[in-house]
Amino acid sequence: MTKVAVLGAGSWGTALSIVLADNGHDVRLWTHRKEQADHINSTHKNEQYLEIMIPDSIRAYYELKDALQGVEVILLVVPTKAIREVCQQVNAIISHKPVIIHATKGIEPGSLKRVSQLIDEEMTQVTYEDIVVLSGPSHAEEVAQRQPTTVTVASINENNAKVAQDLFFNEVFRVYTSNDVIGIELGGALKNIIALGAGISDGLGYGDNAKAALITRGLAEITRLGTHLGANPLSFLGLPGVGDLIVTCTSVHSRNWRAGNLLGKGNDLQDVLERMGMVVEGVRTVQAAYQFAKKENIEMPITEGIYEIINSVKKPKDVVEQLMNRDKREEMDDLASLLRNRNTR
Ligand SMILES: NC(=O)C1=CN([C@@H]2O[C@H](COP(=O)(O)OP(=O)(O)OC[C@H]3O[C@@H](n4cnc5c(N)ncnc54)[C@H](OP(=O)(O)O)[C@@H]3O)[C@@H](O)[C@H]2O)C=CC1
Ligand SMILES: O=C(CO)COP(=O)(O)O
């Protein structure tokens, strides 16, 4: 039995706590709202985020220092915009060196840093190489119902990746390992932008052809930027790449798809975000990806179009027209040269 503090009691933190509790671990689920901790402990429910009974063995905490007492593993699962703040709070409390796993999917606008880089910056006890990221096609709603799910855990520290694999692995939650932290983080963050696009396309009334095109050409963009930033291109063919792209672009559970769908139907972004009541990471990540594409001079027309819609520069229909009328080209043009360049390095 491992003592694990799960920081973030939203849908994903709750679902992953259930996996850990099913595996017999001592799970402390931390929330920054006292009334939520009391509610979870007295009712074993967190219905604001998930319609599921929470195992009695999971205890919710409001006091962070109590939640962190003697833990061997910390699982960070707050939205990207809260990562720095939560890491600073943890840093002020712990003096030991637990294994840090994060399951957050985003990139910070401005700094253009991935989540593991933010953790590394904020936590003095942590070394970048030791951080583990957990990612893959895994909606909280299905994980909490113990539906078959596969994810990947990646770390430069192979031992820590195996620790994470053993911690979560069970008969309905299959966990693979990888050492491509950059690829796994970027795949998870960037697919949310394409999922917004898929939702917009559905909201506009376009069909499966358009969505399949967005998924495929979106994957080309993710691979283009990711490989440029040092990821292994093969990672984008894996669970945290194409796997997560498919699930997020096609599932009604997806917050990003749902938000996009409402935007495509003509709703205002602020209204949409208020209606969602949960984090829609793609809205913030698209700002970062757009900045990345400009800074690194990477062609990302879908990302650019979603950026223009989110920032009310263009209407969804105009972006579709813009994408369909780009210059004619060979499909594998840039990806083939990207792989060639990589091989000769
Ligand atoms: N939901 C899913 O299926 C999956 C989500 N993810 C990723 O996991 C991350 C979290 O998503 P998810 O659980 O869905 O988000 P939710 O919106 O469901 O929950 C976010 C949780 O974080 C809490 N929180 C926000 N800011 C802070 C803060 N400053 N300090 C402490 N707690 C804070 C929220 O508290 P409050 O209730 O007060 O707002 C809430 O409990 C995202 O990066 C997402 O992309 C990854 C895979 C699957
Ligand atoms: O990352 C996810 C599934 O793997 C969750 O995506 P959403 O945030 O769009 O629900």
Side-chain angles (χ1 to χ4, degrees), residues 218-231:
L219 182 62
E221 280 186 26
I222 293 172
T223 308
R224 209 178 285 144
L225 179 65
T227 310
H228 179 83
L229 295 175

Side-chain angles (χ1 to χ4, degrees), residues 51 61 70 116 175 212 231 271 276 293 300:
E51 291 294 334
Y61 288 76
S116 60
V175 186
D271 292 346
M276 295 298 301
M300 299 184 78

Side-chain angles (χ1 to χ4, degrees), residues 11-12 103 105 135-141 149-151 188-189 191-192 195-196 239 243-245 247-249 251-259 276 278-282:
S11 39
W12 195 214
K105 295 177 177 172
S135 190
S138 51
H139 279 120
E141 293 78 0
T149 299
T150 50
V151 298
K191 60 85 188 171
N192 285 332
L196 279 171
L239 295 166
D244 212 357
L245 197 54
V247 88
T248 321
C249 290
S251 170
V252 289
H253 294 310
S254 166
R255 283 135 276 263
N256 288 282
W257 179 87
R258 274 163 36 211
M276 295 298 301
M278 292 184 220
V279 66
V280 182
E281 287 276 22

